[in-house]
Amino acid sequence: MRPQEGTIRPALGCMDALSEVLAACRVERAVTARFSLHAPWALRSDGLPGVMLRLARGAPWWLLLDGAAPVQVQAGDLLMLPLGSAHQLASAPGLPATPFAELIARHAEGPRDENPLVFRHGGAGEATQVDSVLLWFSAWSRHAVLQQLPPLIHLRAAEVPWLPRLAAAMEALTEDSLARRPGWRVSAARMGELLAVNLLREHLARTPAHGEGWLRGLGDPAIGRALAALHRAPQRDWRLETLAREAAMSRSRFAERFRAVVGATPIGYLTAHRMALAAEQIEAGRQPLARIAEAAGYESEKVFSRAFRRWAGLPPTAWLRRERARRQALMDFGGADAEEEAGAQPTSRRAAAATAAASMRDSASSTGA
């Protein structure tokens, strides 16, 4: 398939930057499932705490995202829901849907990361098999990459010649997890990560980069050079003039162009990028907050915590509690109540993305990092 007219590609000098970004996308846990479905059937997910991958086999079926037109899914197609959005799967539109939660309660055996979910559902009609992998990405990946993506990425077997190889890999991942051979959980996380990265590569190569964000910035040769330098050394004492020098532009022209393409000031974007990196360190739990704050360029925990709250909507401790609850909910293929269990007000992924974007815009008047 030829690139669509107007598609924004990473500039040749920035291809390594895209590779570096994708290389930093780490999956920490994977949960697998296989559903044998016979028409008529319909299932509903109220939202997921991670990234969902689905592989279609057998009879065609339909995916319905809230507020979007139904999408038909053919055998061999691969789906990715980067934001864990609420959705329905059905043998035909308009059927009453059974909540996944009911079937999970009926068929689940122990923790999901130890026992893949398998069930049969529906009537006596055409057979469909859906393999599913739910992935929990690292904090930086969730905030810096996944929030830039649409609710649904649908790769069609009829349009992507090499897709059968990815589909076979996902089928092998599911089979391996069902067999529960030694080390299958680590293997599932690594294979799930590789699948997701390849799906993202194909999506970015085929889809125009609309709106704003660093993905669109990589398609601009000058802005892409600045982003590549910033991503390679986020700890550097970047100033507007040094970033402009990377782009080979004047200070004022660079600031104007960066904001138009990325949707944030250069220093605002740098601040948000550092916060996402700090969030990953907080979640890892291997360093004290004071050291994380110092690495992010803050002189004290108190100042860092205030900045983190502006970025995430919660102070570090409350944010960590919420994210741990969401990660735990991954094992239930659910997670709609995870934020409430963590003591925070429920918010959508899109709302979280808006919070991060607002944080970057709030830094518009900054002139140093």
Side-chain angles (χ1 to χ4, degrees):
M1 180 179 177
R2 294 175 58 190
Q4 299 180 42
E5 184 177 353
T7 299
I8 295 178
R9 299 283 186 266
L12 290 177
C14 301
M15 291 300 289
D16 285 345
L18 181 59
S19 294
E20 289 168 10
V21 167
L22 294 177
C25 292
R26 294 296 182 188
V27 169
E28 298 176 354
R29 182 176 293 186
V31 179
T32 60
R34 172 167 287 173
F35 313 134
S36 298
L37 307 165
H38 295 261
W41 59 269
L43 299 169
R44 185 181 79 246
S45 168
D46 292 327
L48 300 156
V51 174
M52 174 61 76
L53 307 181
R54 296 199 190 276
L55 168 65
R57 295 295 193 200
W61 48 278
W62 294 83
L63 179 82
L64 300 90
L65 277 175
D66 289 354
V71 174
Q72 189 171 42
V73 182
Q74 300 284 347
D77 288 4
L78 274 167
L79 306 175
M80 181 179 189
L81 288 89
L83 309 177
S85 305
H87 63 285
Q88 292 186 26
L89 292 67
S91 57
L95 295 173
T98 301
F100 267 106
E102 290 185 13
L103 295 172
I104 290 170
R106 193 182 309 163
H107 298 285
E109 297 179 3
R112 298 293 78 68
D113 64 339
E114 296 179 7
N115 300 280
L117 180 65
V118 180
F119 63 73
R120 184 190 185 282
H121 180 70
E126 287 187 301
T128 297
Q129 178 179 290
V130 179
D131 286 356
S132 299
V133 181
L134 185 58
L135 305 172
W136 179 259
F137 275 85
S138 64
W140 182 86
S141 306
R142 297 196 305 273
H143 289 278
V145 179
L146 300 178
Q147 298 292 357
Q148 299 277 332
L149 300 174
L152 173 66
I153 294 173
H154 182 186
L155 296 186
R156 294 174 170 84
E159 298 176 357
V160 185
W162 55 266
L163 196 62
R165 295 197 293 272
L166 273 190
M170 181 158 169
E171 204 161 28
L173 186 165
T174 308
E175 294 284 356
D176 188 58
S177 67
L178 292 175
R180 299 181 222 180
R181 295 190 299 132
W184 74 265
R185 282 184 289 182
V186 173
S187 175
R190 295 296 172 265
M191 290 180 69
E193 178 179 294
L194 186 61
L195 280 167
V197 165
N198 277 281
L199 285 169
L200 286 177
R201 286 177 61 212
E202 182 65 19
H203 168 72
L204 295 174
R206 299 166 67 85
T207 307
H210 295 298
E212 303 168 336
W214 65 262
L215 286 173
R216 186 167 185 259
L218 288 181
D220 183 293
I223 301 304
R225 286 194 298 271
L227 284 170
L230 185 154
H231 285 170
R232 279 194 294 268
Q235 76 286 352
R236 181 176 166 183
D237 185 21
W238 291 106
R239 304 283 173 173
L240 185 57
E241 51 269 25
T242 54
L243 285 168
R245 198 175 304 128
E246 293 286 343
M249 299 173 71
S250 70
R251 188 174 180 272
S252 59
R253 189 159 167 262
F254 170 73
E256 181 180 359
R257 180 64 180 162
F258 191 100
R259 181 155 192 154
V261 173
V262 179
T265 66
I267 301 306
Y269 175 83
L270 173 62
T271 300
H273 180 63
R274 286 175 169 173
M275 283 297 169
L277 293 172
E280 186 153 305
Q281 293 301 316
I282 292 170
E283 197 167 65
R286 290 189 286 267
Q287 296 187 44
L289 190 59
R291 186 170 299 172
I292 294 171
E294 182 181 358
Y298 290 85
E299 296 179 355
S300 71
E301 283 186 41
K302 187 175 182 180
V303 175
F304 170 77
S305 295
R306 285 202 299 266
F308 189 93
R309 182 166 191 159
R310 286 196 301 271
W311 174 75
L314 292 169
T317 302
W319 176 86
L320 180 60
R321 187 165 58 246
R322 184 191 69 185
E323 296 305 294
R324 282 177 173 169
R326 290 181 59 236
R327 177 172 171 165
Q328 184 63 35
L330 185 86
M331 293 191 297
D332 295 326
F333 260 80
D337 299 324
E339 293 182 10
E340 294 182 62
E341 291 170 5
Q345 292 298 316
T347 57
S348 69
R349 292 304 159 76
R350 287 297 187 189
T355 299
S359 174
M360 290 195 291
R361 289 193 295 270
D362 287 344
S363 300
S365 60
S366 299
T367 57

